[in-house]
Amino acid sequence: MLIAFDSTQQALRAEMLLEYADIEIDICPTPKQITAGCALSIHFPEADLVVVKEVIVQERVEIRGIFQQVEDRFEPIEM
């Protein structure tokens, strides 16, 4: 799973919050297929999706969206 952002500030804030929630994350470049204002995205395991959504909503993190990789493309998922 991947979270894309519109700003670097929100990406770094989400990184801190998700690490604090003990979620295994990786910072990576935003894939070209996803139009976002920020070059950073966060990869996380699909098993942590519910907790990730809770953190984003509770902490009011501004995101472009959460995406799931399907073969060679990224599909948005519902928040």
Side-chain angles (χ1 to χ4, degrees):
M1 305 295 297
L2 181 117
I3 308 171
F5 302 89
D6 285 325
S7 77
T8 302
Q9 179 183 9
Q10 291 299 313
L12 297 176
R13 183 167 171 255
E15 176 188 21
M16 177 196 66
L17 292 167
L18 295 172
E19 285 178 345
Y20 185 75
D22 288 328
I23 295 172
E24 185 74 29
I25 62 169
D26 289 314
I27 300 294
C28 62
T30 301
K32 289 181 171 71
Q33 302 98 318
I34 299 172
T35 304
C38 177
L40 298 176
S41 289
I42 295 177
H43 264 288
F44 66 93
E46 187 173 355
D48 292 325
L49 179 60
V50 172
V51 176
V52 168
K53 284 183 175 183
E54 286 174 2
V55 169
I56 288 169
V57 170
Q58 287 176 357
E59 298 296 331
R60 295 185 177 107
V61 179
E62 296 176 24
I63 65 170
R64 169 59 52 130
I66 298 177
F67 299 84
Q68 183 172 26
Q69 188 167 3
V70 179
E71 296 175 9
D72 62 342
R73 66 188 188 286
F74 288 87
E75 298 287 334
I77 64 161
E78 292 292 320
M79 269 299 292

